[in-house]
Amino acid sequence: ESERRGGRTRTKERREESGCWRAEGCGFGADESGVWKRRWKIMLGNAVRHAVRRSTTAGLRGSGVTQARNMSGISFELSEDQKAFQDVARQFAEEHMIPNAAHHDVTGEYPQEVFAKAWELGLVNTHIDEDIGGLHLDCLTNCVIMEELARGCTGMMTAIEANSLASMPLIIAGNAEQKKKYLGRLLEAPIQAAYGVTEPGAGSDVAGIKTTAVKKGDKYVINGNKMWITNGGKAQETGGFYFVLAKTDPSAGAKGMTGFVVDADTPGITVGRKEINMGQRCSDTRGLTFEDVEVP
């Protein structure tokens, strides 16, 4: 028995092996016993452990693909693990995002319920390191997942993926203590984080930011304004954090900027009005004002 989805034909047996065959109880929300959740977590863990380590030739099937690989040295075929992630994200979008997209676009209501369900499945915070408890998915696999979620609703996808944007500076340059405290927080509950770089007069020209951070004693004091910050309001509401870029040495230009991780409920932070984005009205996009915000 076979099924045609996304231009590919897959056998029922292969889908059963991946843990994504609906007849096996993988209908999200249908199994109150939680069996599908445990099965999905096991499948995700196995996928992550193998996907990053596989060579670019893994998962190729068919003499035509193999011949093309041998001739060019590269292949654009997704691995079996990436296809499994793609299938789960596609099913999630079809069952939870598409049916609710019109409501959230009309009302502008933040899709917290959808966000929480995606978080439970491991479709949020996908870049976080394994030693903290994350999946540590590679960039391509994450793009495959987000492509499917964006097909369901770009506003909801933006709300989900904004956490990865806020987390990436920590993933790249944070120390062990910072990663455990802030990235670990994102894995403990379905909360939001926000990336605070863009300002009313500086976006693509990052070196043009005006927000400053002045060291006073053992703390830095941040003053300035950020604009069009995705999850700006929800991060404060749910107990998340902001990544904030500020100038610590204005005379040094682009080299005089420093990144800060700021608890969203820190005194001195004011959240502005919700902006209305065409096609992404449910995304929480706001301005942020920092007035003498102290960061240790």
Side-chain angles (χ1 to χ4, degrees):
E1 181 179 351
S2 63
E3 178 187 24
R4 171 73 65 176
R5 294 185 66 182
R8 296 190 303 273
T9 300
R10 297 199 178 94
T11 64
K12 177 178 179 180
E13 289 77 9
R14 189 186 71 74
R15 290 177 61 83
E16 286 178 333
E17 291 174 0
S18 71
C20 294
W21 184 250
R22 292 179 59 83
E24 291 297 317
C26 196
F28 301 122
D31 187 358
E32 297 298 333
S33 68
V35 174
W36 67 266
K37 290 183 180 179
R38 292 193 294 273
R39 183 175 300 164
W40 168 232
K41 288 181 179 179
I42 292 172
M43 188 275 286
L44 274 179
N46 291 334
V48 171
R49 280 191 289 273
H50 295 294
V52 177
R53 296 178 177 86
R54 285 186 175 181
S55 68
T56 57
T57 60
L60 297 178
R61 297 292 184 270
S63 59
V65 174
T66 302
Q67 182 179 5
R69 177 203 64 198
N70 291 336
M71 292 175 63
S72 65
I74 62 173
S75 172
F76 296 102
E77 181 77 6
L78 296 178
S79 71
E80 293 302 311
D81 293 323
Q82 288 169 335
K83 290 176 183 178
F85 279 109
Q86 184 181 53
D87 285 345
V88 172
R90 179 174 299 170
Q91 182 179 340
F92 181 83
E94 291 174 351
E95 294 189 1
H96 296 290
M97 298 175 76
I98 293 175
N100 297 301
H103 166 76
H104 286 280
D105 190 58
V106 170
T107 64
E109 177 187 344
Y110 190 85
Q112 184 63 38
E113 182 178 351
V114 175
F115 183 100
K117 290 178 180 178
W119 177 85
E120 289 180 1
L121 284 176
L123 298 177
V124 187
N125 309 311
T126 56
H127 292 296
I128 294 178
D129 299 339
E130 288 182 273
D131 58 356
I132 301 174
L135 295 175
H136 194 210
L137 296 187
D138 60 273
C139 184
L140 176 58
T141 303
N142 189 70
C143 286
V144 168
I145 292 172
M146 292 305 142
E147 180 181 44
E148 294 298 332
L149 299 186
R151 170 179 169 268
C153 175
T154 59
M156 293 181 187
M157 185 280 293
T158 298
I160 291 171
E161 183 60 6
N163 270 21
S164 292
L165 184 61
S167 301
M168 194 53 63
L170 273 168
I171 293 173
I172 294 173
N175 60 39
E177 182 181 354
Q178 291 170 330
K179 289 181 179 181
K180 183 178 180 180
K181 178 180 179 180
Y182 292 102
L183 300 183
R185 189 185 299 177
L186 297 181
L187 299 177
E188 292 171 356
I191 65 176
Q192 285 76 35
Y195 183 78
V197 173
T198 303
E199 299 185 358
S204 300
D205 178 20
V206 177
I209 65 171
K210 303 298 182 183
T211 298
T212 61
V214 179
K215 191 169 185 179
K216 295 184 178 180
D218 59 350
K219 300 178 180 179
Y220 278 88
V221 179
I222 300 177
N223 283 280
N225 297 284
K226 299 296 180 180
M227 191 61 194
W228 301 292
I229 306 304
T230 304
N231 282 348
K234 294 299 294 185
Q236 189 175 84
E237 180 182 321
T238 61
F241 64 86
Y242 301 126
F243 168 78
V244 180
L245 192 65
K247 284 191 173 179
T248 48
D249 183 3
S251 64
K255 294 184 178 180
M257 297 185 292
T258 302
F260 295 87
V261 185
V262 184
D263 287 295
D265 60 356
T266 302
I269 301 176
T270 302
V271 176
R273 69 176 187 180
K274 173 181 169 62
E275 301 294 332
I276 304 302
N277 304 323
M278 184 174 66
Q280 295 193 346
R281 291 186 176 91
C282 67
S283 174
D284 182 57
T285 305
R286 299 175 185 266
L288 299 175
T289 299
F290 294 81
E291 295 181 281
D292 294 327
V293 175
E294 297 184 350
V295 181

